[in-house]
């Protein structure tokens, strides 16, 4: 009996330690979750009125159409156990902001409960939106509005100033836009041809099965013979080789990054 007690005590202690170790990373993970990118203004913290958010989205979309530079605004309650620099860089990379060839993305991140913010700049824009200019935009235009309690005004001012800096070099901006125009490459033509033939083949099977039910001879339930070919037809009118009568596709319909990356350029601030 006495020999069992230390063993039972040891088992309970190990179980308690395992529960504590399991709970610790879970709490941190919840604080550090990065939301899925679905739009140009990710207001997870809920600090932007709908009208302001809509105007920002339209402004950022128009700027991206003009320059190919991709600017995204994100607000979150907290970065959890991570510094805002680490969180912003991880978010930027996970979202793939900017075009892959140009790395011309910019992230304006605001962690409301931490009272911290950061402008993260993609590799391709570090020479234009420098660390010094990013810091100036934060300290001179965003932080004063945040300290006055006006988050929408601060974010709008930050976006306006970031765009003004990026538009300052008109020749370079135009060059980026031209390099990222969507031309059809030879590889794209091959892919288009393949899927066209694929669709034609299966579409032809469906059409043949329908015609077989009209002009062919019924030889068994669901089986017809036409032009020397036996066809099995399902109740939906498709042949046994193609049970579906059409294509099905799904799309999130959301916004996404272009595959760009960042090496940690930019600046941070607090209020």
């Amino acid at each position: 009996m006495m020999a069992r007690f230390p063993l039972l005590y040891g088992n309970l202690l190990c179980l308690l330690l395992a529960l504590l170790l399991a709970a610790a990373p879970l709490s941190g993970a919840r604080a550090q979750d990065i939301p899925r990118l679905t739009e140009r203004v990710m207001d997870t913290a809920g600090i932007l009125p709908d009208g302001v958010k809509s105007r920002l989205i339209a402004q950022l979309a128009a700027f991206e159409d003009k320059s190919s530079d991709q600017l995204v605004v994100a607000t979150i309650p907290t970065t959890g156990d991570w510094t805002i620099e680490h969180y912003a860089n991880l978010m930027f990379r996970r979202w793939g902001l900017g075009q892959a060839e140009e790395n011309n993305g910019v992230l304006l991140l605001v962690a409301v409960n931490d009272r911290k913010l950061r402008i993260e700049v993609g590799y391709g824009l570090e020479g234009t939106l420098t660390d010094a200019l990013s810091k100036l935009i934060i300290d001179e235009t965003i932080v004063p509005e945040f300290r006055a309690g006006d988050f929408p005004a601060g974010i709008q001012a930050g976006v306006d100033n970031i765009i003004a800096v990026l538009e300052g070099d008109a020749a370079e901006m135009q060059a980026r836009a031209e390099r990222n125009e969507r031309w059809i490459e030879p590889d794209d033509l091959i892919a288009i041809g393949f899927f066209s033939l694929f669709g034609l083949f299966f579409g032809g099977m469906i059409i043949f099965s329908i015609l077989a039910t009209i002009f062919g001879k019924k030889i068994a339930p669901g089986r017809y013979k036409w032009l020397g070919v036996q066809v099995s037809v399902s109740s939906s009118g498709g042949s046994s080789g193609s049970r579906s009568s059409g294509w099905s596709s799904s799309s999130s319909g959301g916004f996404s990054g272009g595959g760009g990356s960042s090496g940690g350029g930019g600046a941070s601030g607090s209020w």
Side-chain angles (χ1 to χ4, degrees), residues 96-165:
L97 301 184
Q99 308 303 319
E101 300 81 5
E102 299 289 341
N103 292 304
N104 55 340
V106 179
L107 172 66
L108 173 56
L109 174 65
V110 179
V112 179
N113 295 344
D114 301 334
R115 302 179 68 86
K116 294 180 180 179
L117 70 153
R118 179 166 178 80
I119 297 175
E120 185 80 9
V121 182
Y123 287 116
L125 296 180
E126 289 180 355
T128 304
L129 185 58
T130 63
D131 295 357
L133 285 172
S134 297
K135 185 64 173 174
L136 189 65
I137 291 171
I138 289 173
D139 291 344
E140 299 298 324
T141 64
I142 302 178
V143 167
E145 299 290 355
F146 280 11
R147 286 177 177 167
D150 197 340
F151 288 110
I155 290 174
Q156 182 66 70
V159 167
D160 291 343
N161 279 266
I162 291 170
I163 290 177
V165 170

Side-chain angles (χ1 to χ4, degrees), residues 44-263:
T44 307
I47 60 174
L48 296 174
D50 291 341
V52 174
K53 180 178 177 180
S54 297
R55 287 195 300 273
L56 282 169
I57 290 174
Q59 180 183 13
L60 298 179
F63 176 65
E64 184 174 344
D65 289 342
K66 178 181 179 181
S67 66
S68 84
D69 298 343
Q70 195 171 66
L71 171 56
V72 168
V73 174
T75 73
I76 58 173
T78 178
T79 62
D81 298 330
W82 293 336
T83 65
I84 194 162
E85 291 81 11
H86 180 67
Y87 193 102
N89 186 255
L90 183 60
M91 175 179 277
F92 191 111
R93 288 172 171 267
R94 186 169 297 180
W95 286 354
L97 301 184
Q99 308 303 319
E101 300 81 5
E102 299 289 341
N103 292 304
N104 55 340
V106 179
L107 172 66
L108 173 56
L109 174 65
V110 179
V112 179
N113 295 344
D114 301 334
R115 302 179 68 86
K116 294 180 180 179
L117 70 153
R118 179 166 178 80
I119 297 175
E120 185 80 9
V121 182
Y123 287 116
L125 296 180
E126 289 180 355
T128 304
L129 185 58
T130 63
D131 295 357
L133 285 172
S134 297
K135 185 64 173 174
L136 189 65
I137 291 171
I138 289 173
D139 291 344
E140 299 298 324
T141 64
I142 302 178
V143 167
E145 299 290 355
F146 280 11
R147 286 177 177 167
D150 197 340
F151 288 110
I155 290 174
Q156 182 66 70
V159 167
D160 291 343
N161 279 266
I162 291 170
I163 290 177
V165 170
L166 295 178
E167 286 183 334
D169 190 342
E172 172 58 22
M173 186 180 71
Q174 179 63 25
R176 288 196 301 271
E178 290 175 355
R179 286 194 295 267
N180 284 285
E181 287 180 352
R182 301 301 185 184
W183 298 104
I184 298 179
E185 301 291 340
D187 290 343
D188 296 328
L189 290 174
I190 294 173
I192 291 170
F194 173 79
F195 284 109
S196 297
L197 290 174
F198 186 79
L200 181 63
F201 174 74
F202 283 99
M205 289 179 63
I206 294 171
I207 294 172
F208 186 86
S209 66
I210 294 172
L211 293 176
T213 61
I214 299 173
F215 301 107
K217 179 181 178 181
K218 187 174 183 179
I219 58 177
R223 292 181 65 83
Y224 296 83
K225 185 175 183 180
W226 185 52
L227 299 178
V229 179
Q230 292 188 19
V231 181
S232 297
V233 181
S234 66
S235 59
S236 62
S239 69
S240 60
S242 178
R243 293 288 180 181
S244 173
S245 60
W247 295 95
S248 63
S249 62
S250 61
S251 173
S252 63
F255 169 71
S256 64
S261 188
S262 168

